[in-house]
Every structure is written in C-alpha cells, then in structure tokens.
Amino acid sequence: MTPPIEIPVSRIPTSRLEQIDFNNLEFGKHTADHMLIVEYDKGEWGAPQIIPFGEISLSPTSLVLHYAQTVFEGMKAFKMADGGVSIFRIEKHYQRFLKSLERMCMPAIPEDIFKEGIKQLVKTDTAWIPSTEGGALYLRPFMIATEQRLGVKISDKYLFMVVTSPVGPYYAKPLNMKIEIEYVRAAEGGTGYAKCGGNYGASFLPTQLARQQGYDQVLWTDAKEHKYLDEAGTMNVMFVIDGILATPPLSTSILDGVTRDSILTLASELGIVAEQRRITVDELETALSAGRVTEAFGAGTAAVVAPIENISIRGKEYPLPKWNADSFMMRVKKQLSDIRTGAVADAKSWNTIV
Ligand code: COI
C-alpha cells in the first residue's frame, strides 16, 4: 500500500468559527476556514494544498465562464457519537465524480488527491462539523476549466477544489411539488446523469415559475413524452405505492444518487420490497386518487429525505397522507443517521473514519 500523500496546510491566522450560529444554519451560506486547491496543466496534476478559504482569481476568458465545463460533488462529514468523524460513502462519490468528468471531457482526478485531500481538509476543519441533530459538514469538491480562450474547445487547464460548509436540514418544511410537463431538466443522451453545473442552471426558470404558482419544487418528467417521472427538483424521487418502495430506474437523464442507492440498499432490512421501475404520471395519479400512495419523498445528500406533502398533476392537487416515525422514509432516515454517527454498526463499510 502506498503511504497517504502529504498535503501542506497553510492555516488561517484567526478562525471565523466564533461568528457562526450553529443552531441557525442556512444551507451553504457559511464556509469553513480552509479549502483544498490543485491545478492541472499540460496533462499533469500539480501538488494539492490546503489554504485559508478565500477568493481565487480567474481570467474573464476562462473556458468555464463561457462553455460551462464544470462538475461538482456533494458529500457530507459527520460527528460520531464517540467523538470521531466519518465521511459518508466517499468511494461512491468519487466514482460518480469520475463519471461526470468523463461526460464533460475533463481529466480524471487521481484517487489519492480526491480522497486524502478531502480527509485532510475535514481533519483540518473538524471543529466546523455541527453536532446538532441532522447537522453535517457539507463537502463540495468541484472542477472548473481555466484555460483562457474564447474559441469553443476542451480546456487544457483545470482547477480542482474542495470547499466545505456547516449545514443543518436542507428543507425546513415538507414539499409541495408540481409535476413539470412543459420544461425539461435532462434528455436521454444528455448530461442528466452527470453532476455538471449546466443541469442546475437550466432548472432555475421552471423552478422559479413553479414557485410563483405556490409550489416548492418541480417533479421532472422525461423529455420525450412528459409521461414518466424522472427526479424531484435536485433530488431523486421515491414513493411507497401499495406498500412497495418504487423509484425510477437509472438512465442517462437521472442522477445516480448516493442517498437513493443507500435507501434502496437498506430497504430490505427495514422490511420493505424495493422496485426500480418506470413510473408514469398516469399511474401515479390513479394511485394517488385511490389512496394507494402512502409516502412520497425526495432523496439526496443535501436534503437526505425530504417528505412531499402535496403533488400537483395538470392543475389538480393530490395531498399525501401525514407521515410519522413509523413511516418508511422516517425509519430509513434514522437508520442512515445512525450508521453515519456510529449508533449502529456500519455493516456496509460506508463510513470513512477521519
Ligand atoms: C446534493 O444533494 O448534494 C445536491 O447536489 C443538491 C444541491 C445542493 C445542489
């Protein structure tokens, strides 16, 4: 085994930690003291460094600013019950980052820079991990194209960085969702499965329009027919229909969510059958009308499990039943939290202990 790479740490002179109210954390508003940065040029990665969080300078002609060659990840580090620190499913996040990079013609980040870099950054800013219920240090690795050029081309230069942010629960309240049948998030063959910036920018207008109509988020449908359900806002979507957990299967238009995968993996031990299958809007509407949909929720790293309280289909409102601690979504949320904090055994080796 090769020894872990040594990453030099240049420490911030005075921590900003005292300025943070850990009981009122707005998602992603505050960043921890340090960040990781490494450059790629002429086919090679340079030496990663951990430095105080701060601004970076970019040329106005950096390719990322014009042609959106940028991808990111969203992961979390947790305070454990025994005082230790765990990072959840770093390998799965690394593999997905590689897939996103490949789709956007960007160079692979070496495993040791990604994993050791993140571990050492989390170690440097351990004091920033909230110990509040549902709290975590959100980790945001990302890569941008920095070559200076206005011609449309694949960049020769990149910056890989990791910034972190202490966070509480993403959504403060249950979601009122509208099924989107006009706009599209992602088409088959496009970039929907990649975590690239453009997917998110393109979702702003339909989401804003839905908000103006009183909804919190949209439920995306397929690009060809608006017939099948794809995702929920920035999360995967899951339903309990006739007592069975159902979620759309992965495709090139759906993100391979780490929380989605974790929930599907835990389903059987929590006593529920899980199906990955195409779900039509019509099927959902029929099942909602008949009271056969007992749960609907979004699943994602930031939100973990976000209960849906209402779904609007072509202008008709379908309220969901109220959930409680025995609902599958709440039981699986607790199980995930217990694994991350070490309250139950990490049988799947999902935790990386820092
Ligand atoms: C995540 O759940 O990590 C996301 O990427 C959602 C959003 C914060 C971009």
Side-chain angles (χ1 to χ4, degrees):
M1 234 172 66
T2 47
I5 51 167
E6 276 299 318
I7 302 180
V9 181
S10 152
R11 287 192 178 266
I12 197 167
T14 312
S15 172
R16 290 177 284 104
L17 198 53
E18 294 304 308
Q19 300 164 20
I20 311 299
D21 175 2
F22 276 84
N23 292 311
N24 289 296
L25 291 169
E26 212 175 294
F27 188 90
K29 184 170 174 189
H30 301 288
T31 44
D33 282 334
H34 299 89
M35 62 188 190
L36 179 103
I37 186 161
V38 53
E39 280 176 352
Y40 175 93
D41 191 11
K42 300 189 184 70
E44 278 183 30
W45 285 101
Q49 301 174 61
I50 292 174
I51 58 174
F53 177 89
E55 293 180 1
I56 53 169
S57 80
L58 280 182
S59 162
T61 61
S62 294
L63 282 165
V64 63
L65 300 176
H66 302 271
Y67 309 121
Q69 228 191 336
T70 169
V71 307
F72 69 93
E73 264 305 315
M75 19 197 313
K76 278 178 174 172
F78 297 88
K79 270 259 168 72
M80 304 182 77
D82 65 2
V85 170
S86 68
I87 299 174
F88 191 65
R89 301 199 71 178
I90 196 168
E91 172 64 20
K92 178 111 179 123
H93 283 284
Y94 174 60
Q95 292 303 331
R96 187 173 67 179
F97 194 57
L98 293 180
K99 270 193 206 150
S100 303
L101 292 171
E102 185 186 37
R103 181 63 181 82
M104 298 305 289
C105 264
M106 297 165 82
I109 184 87
E111 185 172 350
D112 57 352
I113 296 183
F114 186 92
K115 291 188 181 170
E116 278 306 314
I118 289 173
K119 275 198 252 177
Q120 293 187 31
L121 181 64
V122 169
K123 215 180 254 180
T124 307
D125 279 333
T126 298
W128 285 80
I129 309 175
S131 4
T132 43
E133 163 104 37
L137 189 66
Y138 186 76
L139 315 176
R140 174 54 64 86
F142 65 100
M143 196 189 292
I144 56 174
T146 51
E147 184 183 340
Q148 303 178 24
R149 191 72 71 100
L150 287 178
V152 179
K153 77 177 281 281
I154 300 165
S155 182
D156 285 337
K157 286 189 181 182
Y158 296 89
L159 210 50
F160 171 72
M161 298 184 64
V162 186
V163 296
T164 71
S165 172
V167 298
Y170 193 79
Y171 291 110
K173 59 179 198 57
L175 300 174
N176 184 5
M177 309 287 288
K178 173 193 159 187
I179 295 214
E180 180 58 61
I181 48 171
E182 189 182 339
Y183 293 96
V184 164
R185 174 188 171 272
E188 285 276 357
T191 59
Y193 71 95
K195 224 164 161 52
C196 60
N199 289 344
Y200 295 80
S203 73
F204 287 166
L205 178 65
T207 308
Q208 185 191 43
L209 293 174
R211 291 218 169 109
Q212 285 164 359
Q213 294 164 6
Y215 302 102
D216 299 307
Q217 276 288 349
V218 296
L219 267 170
W220 300 107
T221 51
D222 74 281
K224 259 193 208 146
E225 304 175 87
H226 292 297
K227 182 174 167 188
Y228 300 98
L229 296 167
D230 264 5
E231 286 192 21
T234 57
M235 304 169 287
N236 295 111
V237 67
M238 296 189 154
F239 301 95
V240 177
I241 307 177
D242 295 327
I244 292 173
L245 177 69
T247 192
L250 295 179
S251 70
T252 51
S253 69
I254 293 183
L255 191 78
D256 181 2
V258 176
T259 309
R260 173 189 181 279
D261 180 79
S262 306
I263 292 175
L264 289 173
T265 306
L266 294 174
S268 67
E269 64 194 66
L270 293 177
I272 192 165
V273 172
E275 287 179 348
Q276 299 180 58
R277 63 175 179 84
R278 300 189 93 183
I279 303 165
T280 64
V281 177
D282 288 347
E283 177 200 342
L284 182 69
E285 185 164 25
T286 306
L288 282 164
S289 306
R292 290 167 31 229
V293 185
T294 45
E295 300 184 32
F297 56 97
T301 295
V304 190
V305 163
I308 296 174
E309 66 174 3
N310 185 70
I311 299 177
S312 174
I313 306 180
R314 296 178 279 255
K316 200 157 176 233
E317 308 301 324
Y318 292 93
L320 272 295
K322 190 84 192 116
W323 57 93
N324 57 40
D326 293 332
S327 304
F328 170 72
M329 64 173 127
M330 290 302 147
R331 289 192 295 123
V332 79
K333 185 178 177 190
K334 181 171 183 312
Q335 185 70 4
L336 277 172
S337 166
D338 285 351
I339 293 171
R340 290 158 163 173
T341 56
V344 299
D346 175 23
K348 319 268 183 309
S349 301
W350 281 344
N351 293 333
T352 294
I353 307 297
V354 173

